[in-house]
Amino acid sequence: MDALSPSLKADDSAPVPSPLRTWGLPALAVALATIALLPLPDFWIIQLNYIGIYTLPVLGLVLLTGVCGLTSFGQAAFVGVGASTTAYLTTQMGLSPWLTLFMGLGITTVSALLIGAITLRRSSHYLPLATLAWALALYYLLGNLDALGKYDGILGVPGLELAGLELGKLRPFYALVWLIALLACVAVARLLDSRTGRAVRALAGGTQMAEAMGVDAFRYKVGVFVFAALLASVSGWLFAHFQQTVNPSPFGLQMGIEYLFMAVLGGAGHVWGAIAGAGIVKLLEDQLQGLLPKLIGTSGNYELIVFGILIVLVLKYLPDGLWEAIDRRIPRAHRRQDWAQAPALPVQPKPEADSLMLDVRAIRKEFGGLVAVKDISFQIRAGQITGLIGPNGAGKSTTFNLITGVLELTGGEVLFRGERISGLGSREIARRGVARTFQHVKMVPDMTVLENVALGAHLRSHKGALSAMLRLDRAEERQLFAEAERQLRRVGMAPTCTTRRGTFPWARSACWKLHARCASTRLCCCSTSPPPVCATRKSKSWPRCCARCAPKAWPSFWSNTTWAW
C-alpha cells in the first residue's frame, strides 16, 4: 500500500470523537443495570420492561423502513406469531418456553418468506398493502381459533425459568429483556457497518444502481424483511411470558401502526432511535391515558388524537426523527484507518491487447410503435477509447440500458468475450464482468465517500450478515477499504474519503461513482455520461482525462465518450 492519504492520518485536524459516541453504549448498559438495583416502584420496572419489548419490533422497522426503504405495517402480526406459538405450546403441550422460542422463530421465518416472496418483487404500495392484509388476517385468525381461546386468548402462560432461577419476576425479567434488546441493537449496528449493510443501504434509493453493483436486491430485501420479523417474534415471546396471558388485541393493526410511529418518532434511520421512540411513545401514552380523560371529563382513547398531531409535527419539522436531531450535533470521528497492511483483493486477469471484449450486434428497442434504438452494431476491443455521440433523444442511454440488462432487447444480441449476455439481468451481467454508471448520480448520500466506493467491490467479497454481526468480517472489510482508498488516491480524491457523499456537488459525486465501478475490477465499465473530470476541461483533453480516470487494462464504455482499455 502507498502512504496514507492526509485525511486518514491520525493528525490534529481530524475531529475528536464525542464521549457520547465512545461511551454511550457502556453508559446505557451501566444505567440500565443500576436501575435494576435501585428501590424503584414496580410500576417503573414494568414500564421499562415494555419499552425493551417494544424496542425489538421497532428495531426491525428501523432496518426495514428507515434503512432499506420498505414500509411495513405487519410487525405487530409477527409479534403475535411469536406470542401465540409459545402460549399454545407451553400451555397445551407442556413444552419448555426456551424450546418454543425457536419453534416460533421457525414459524415466523416461513410466514415472512412467503409474504416477502409474493410482495417484495413488486414496488411502490404493494408491500404496505400486503402487510396491512397480513396484520388484519392474523388478527381475525387468532380471534376465531378455538385452540387459541378466540378473543379471550390463552391464560396461565408460564413464566420463564433458567437453571432454577425464576426470570418471570419483574427485575430478573427486566435484565433478560434489556440484555436481548441491547444485543439486538449492537448486532444491527454492526450489520450496517459491513458489506451486507452497504448493500442494504443502497436499496433505499432503488434497486437499479445496487443491481449494477452486483447486489442481489430481491435476496437482500427478503433477508431484511425476515430479520425484522424475527426480531418481532422474539418480542412476542417475551411479551407472552411477561404478561402470562395472550389474546389478539396487542397484535392488531393499531399496534402495527404504533410500532411504525415509534420508529418514525425516534428516527427511522438510526439504531438507537428505536429505544428512543419506544420509550417516548410508551411513557407518553401511559401519561396521556390518565391525564386526558380528567381534563376532558369523559373516558376515551384521546391519546390517539395527540399522537396524530405529534406525527404530523414530527414529519414536518423533524422528518428524520428525534435521534437524527441529536446525532448531527454530536461530533463524528473519522473511521479508524486500519487497512494499511491489508492484502490486496483478488483481481481478474487482464485482457490481452486488442482482444474483442464487447460485440453488439444489431440491437433494437421498440416501445410500442416507437423505435428508440434501431439495429445498432459496434465492437469494443481492449486498449481502445471510443465515443458514442448523439443529440438528446438519440437513444444513447437506451443503448446502454440494453447492453447492461436494464431493458430487454426487442431484437439483436450482445456478446461479452464471446459469451451471449443479452437477456440476462444487470446483476448477472455485472457478475460476468460488465459494470456501469448512470447519467444521474446514484450513490448513497448517508454513506461516506469511502463506503460508496467500497460498495463497488461488492462482488469481490463474500462475507454475509452473520459474519458482520459477530465481527468475523473485519479482515475482508480492511481489504475492501484499502481498495476503495487506492481508487480514490489515483485521481487525488483521497482527502474526501471520510466525508459523506450528500455534502458534495455533482461533479465530484459523479467521479466517485466511476471509481466505485473501478473498485469492482469488472472487465468492462459502461456509463451514460462523460467522465466527470473531463466535464470541466476542454474536449480535446478528454482522451487524456479518460486515461487518467480509467484502469488502463480494463475495457470501459461511455455514452458521449466510450472507452475500452
Side-chain angles (χ1 to χ4, degrees):
M1 292 290 295
D2 298 334
L4 300 183
S5 59
S7 67
L8 297 176
K9 292 179 181 178
D11 56 29
D12 296 335
S13 62
V16 178
S18 167
L20 185 58
R21 291 195 186 275
T22 305
W23 301 104
L25 178 59
L28 176 61
V30 170
L32 290 170
T34 303
I35 288 174
L37 302 176
L38 295 176
L40 291 176
D42 288 346
F43 170 80
W44 291 108
I45 300 298
I46 292 172
Q47 293 293 87
L48 288 170
N49 282 344
Y50 279 120
I51 291 171
I53 290 171
Y54 291 166
T55 292
L56 293 173
V58 176
L59 183 62
L61 285 174
V62 166
L63 190 60
L64 182 65
T65 302
V67 177
C68 198
L70 302 173
T71 303
S72 173
F73 295 98
Q75 282 294 83
F78 291 118
V79 175
V81 171
S84 299
T85 300
T86 191
Y88 177 79
L89 293 176
T90 53
T91 58
Q92 303 300 317
M93 303 182 69
L95 296 181
S96 166
W98 302 100
L99 177 60
T100 62
L101 168 62
F102 296 100
M103 297 178 73
L105 291 175
I107 295 173
T108 301
T109 300
V110 173
S111 303
L113 283 172
L114 179 62
I115 296 171
I118 295 172
T119 61
L120 289 174
R121 291 189 186 275
R122 311 298 295 273
S123 58
S124 184
H125 55 279
Y126 290 100
L127 178 63
L129 288 177
T131 55
L132 278 172
W134 163 246
L136 291 171
L138 183 77
Y139 175 76
Y140 289 113
L141 177 65
L142 296 178
N144 287 279
L145 286 177
D146 290 328
L148 298 179
K150 295 190 174 181
Y151 288 101
D152 293 330
I154 300 175
L155 303 176
V157 179
L160 296 176
E161 291 187 7
L162 181 63
L165 175 65
E166 292 187 20
L167 298 178
K169 295 181 179 179
L170 290 180
R171 293 176 190 267
F173 192 84
Y174 164 88
L176 175 65
V177 166
W178 280 102
L179 176 63
I180 294 174
L182 290 180
L183 287 177
C185 288
V186 171
V188 172
R190 288 181 171 185
L191 176 66
L192 293 176
D193 182 29
S194 69
R195 169 183 180 267
T196 300
R198 289 188 292 273
V200 170
R201 284 189 278 177
L203 298 177
T207 62
Q208 199 175 74
M209 181 274 287
E211 289 277 340
M213 295 282 197
V215 174
D216 189 338
F218 177 70
R219 174 171 167 266
Y220 278 102
K221 283 182 179 181
V222 171
V224 170
F225 188 73
V226 171
F227 183 69
L230 292 176
L231 289 175
S233 182
V234 174
S235 173
W237 179 78
L238 290 169
F239 180 86
H241 293 287
F242 181 57
Q243 290 275 95
Q244 298 189 357
T245 179
V246 172
N247 64 74
S249 299
F251 316 127
L253 181 58
Q254 178 180 331
M255 199 63 202
I257 296 173
E258 193 167 321
Y259 285 139
L260 190 59
F261 174 58
M262 292 177 186
V264 172
L265 178 64
H270 297 274
V271 170
W272 305 108
I275 297 178
I280 292 171
V281 171
K282 178 57 182 172
L283 295 176
L284 189 60
E285 182 180 39
D286 285 342
Q287 296 303 314
L288 291 175
Q289 284 176 343
L291 178 62
L292 291 179
K294 293 179 180 179
L295 293 177
I296 297 174
T298 180
S299 62
N301 295 328
Y302 299 112
E303 71 277 2
L304 298 179
I305 300 174
V306 176
F307 285 152
I309 297 172
L310 183 60
I311 193 64
V312 171
L313 294 176
V314 168
L315 290 175
K316 180 174 176 60
Y317 297 105
L318 291 171
D320 296 319
L322 296 174
W323 194 261
E324 171 65 22
I326 298 171
D327 185 74
R328 63 170 172 253
R329 288 172 172 80
I330 302 174
R332 186 186 299 271
H334 289 165
R335 177 183 290 274
R336 185 168 63 90
Q337 205 280 351
D338 59 354
W339 53 81
Q341 304 302 321
L345 287 169
V347 297
Q348 296 192 27
K350 299 178 181 179
E352 296 181 4
D354 202 41
S355 60
L356 180 61
M357 301 299 295
L358 189 65
D359 189 4
V360 179
R361 299 178 179 179
I363 60 173
R364 184 182 184 91
K365 182 61 180 178
E366 299 176 359
F367 296 98
L370 174 66
V371 180
V373 175
K374 184 177 180 180
D375 303 331
I376 292 181
S377 300
F378 58 86
Q379 293 181 337
I380 296 183
R381 297 179 176 275
Q384 293 180 340
I385 296 178
T386 311
L388 178 65
I389 301 173
N392 291 338
K396 303 184 301 298
S397 297
T398 305
T399 299
F400 283 90
N401 288 337
L402 294 173
I403 293 171
T404 57
V406 176
L407 295 175
E408 293 185 5
L409 288 165
T410 304
E413 62 177 354
V414 180
L415 281 74
F416 179 67
R417 306 191 80 181
E419 178 186 3
R420 191 175 189 272
I421 61 172
S422 48
L424 300 177
S426 296
R427 185 181 71 258
E428 291 302 319
I429 292 176
R431 191 176 299 278
R432 282 159 173 75
V434 181
R436 69 162 294 170
T437 65
F438 296 86
Q439 182 174 1
H440 300 288
V441 179
K442 294 180 180 289
M443 302 297 273
V444 185
D446 65 341
M447 292 198 316
T448 64
V449 175
L450 191 71
E451 291 170 328
N452 269 290
V453 176
L455 178 62
H458 182 81
L459 288 174
R460 300 175 66 185
S461 51
H462 66 277
K463 294 291 185 180
L466 186 60
S467 295
M469 293 179 190
L470 298 176
R471 274 300 192 251
L472 300 177
D473 64 338
R474 293 300 91 186
E476 184 180 83
E477 284 290 285
R478 286 191 288 271
Q479 289 181 282
L480 289 170
F481 286 127
E483 177 64 21
E485 186 192 359
R486 186 180 72 84
Q487 294 296 338
L488 288 167
R489 188 188 296 117
R490 291 175 57 248
V491 287
M493 299 188 71
T496 64
C497 277
T498 56
T499 309
R500 290 184 180 273
R501 204 288 297 169
T503 62
F504 280 86
W506 175 86
R508 285 197 169 191
S509 297
C511 198
W512 295 327
K513 76 176 180 179
L514 163 63
H515 287 281
R517 301 325 190 262
C518 292
S520 71
T521 69
R522 299 299 93 193
L523 296 174
C524 185
C525 179
C526 303
S527 176
T528 55
S529 59
V533 183
C534 305
T536 61
R537 308 187 183 198
K538 296 181 180 179
S539 60
K540 65 182 181 180
S541 301
W542 281 21
R544 179 172 58 85
C545 295
C546 292
R548 183 190 177 197
C549 288
K552 295 182 181 298
W554 310 339
S556 197
F557 184 42
W558 292 80
S559 168
N560 292 343
T561 304
T562 303
W563 357 324
W565 291 275

